[in-house]
């Protein structure tokens, strides 16, 4: 079973798809590949070698735009693929500061001082 990208995009209220998402490889997450069966090891190795490895301590979180989840169901012996768009947003800060951190310029015409924004 599969769905075409045009069907997925048309079903979304607000889709986020742009060229910058495909400039970096996705973060690969493999689920339920821990069994010692040879074919599962081969599949896991194949998926891992499809994308370059990510150095966890050096990766810039803003460069991670996509996540690819591959999950193996041992009961049905099927693979599930999920491809997610990832967006890093600041949490726990004021609305004005959040706009500045996301490189958007807020309307400061009603403010007398920058401290009112922060």
């Amino acid at each position: 079973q599969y769905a075409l990208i045009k069907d997925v995009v048309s079903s979304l209220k607000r889709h986020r798809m742009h060229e910058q998402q495909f400039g970096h490889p996705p973060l690969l997450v493999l689920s339920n590949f821990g069994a010692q069966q040879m074919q599962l090891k081969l599949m896991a190795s194949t998926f891992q070698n499809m994308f370059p490895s990510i150095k966890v301590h050096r990766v810039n979180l803003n460069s991670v735009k996509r996540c690819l989840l591959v999950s193996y169901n041992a009961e049905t012996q099927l693979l599930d693929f999920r491809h997610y768009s990832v967006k890093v947003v600041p949490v726990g800060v004021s609305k004005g500061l959040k706009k500045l951190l996301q490189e958007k310029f807020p309307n400061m015409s009603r403010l007398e001082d920058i401290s009112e924004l922060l």
Side-chain angles (χ1 to χ4, degrees):
Q1 299 175 349
Y2 64 93
L4 297 175
I5 188 66
K6 66 179 182 176
D7 297 331
V8 173
V9 170
S10 67
S11 69
L12 298 174
K13 290 181 182 176
R14 289 181 289 170
H15 68 281
R16 292 186 35 212
M17 203 156 102
H18 46 83
E19 291 180 19
Q20 291 87 8
Q21 286 181 312
F22 301 99
H24 296 283
L27 178 66
L28 178 65
V29 178
L30 298 176
S31 178
N32 299 326
F33 282 88
Q36 297 300 319
Q37 298 170 354
M38 192 61 179
Q39 68 269 21
L40 289 180
K41 287 182 181 180
L42 181 61
M43 281 193 293
S45 176
T46 301
F47 288 124
Q48 287 171 346
N49 290 319
M50 286 175 77
F51 306 104
S53 61
I54 295 175
K55 308 233 182 320
V56 178
H57 300 293
R58 295 183 188 169
V59 69
N60 180 4
L61 287 180
N62 289 327
S63 69
V64 177
K65 302 290 184 190
R66 299 177 296 141
C67 178
L68 178 64
L69 170 65
V70 182
S71 179
Y72 175 72
N73 187 340
E75 194 173 293
T76 61
Q77 295 186 349
L78 294 175
L79 292 172
D80 290 325
F81 290 88
R82 299 281 187 248
H83 193 202
Y84 297 99
S85 175
V86 177
K87 182 179 179 183
V88 178
V89 294
V91 177
V93 295
S94 69
K95 188 176 180 180
L97 186 58
K98 189 182 292 190
K99 284 185 178 181
L100 285 176
L101 291 173
Q102 291 178 341
E103 297 177 1
K104 295 178 183 174
F105 297 103
N107 183 3
M108 296 191 300
S109 62
R110 294 172 284 149
L111 307 177
E112 302 224 358
D113 192 82
I114 189 76
S115 63
E116 293 178 24
L117 177 69
L118 302 178

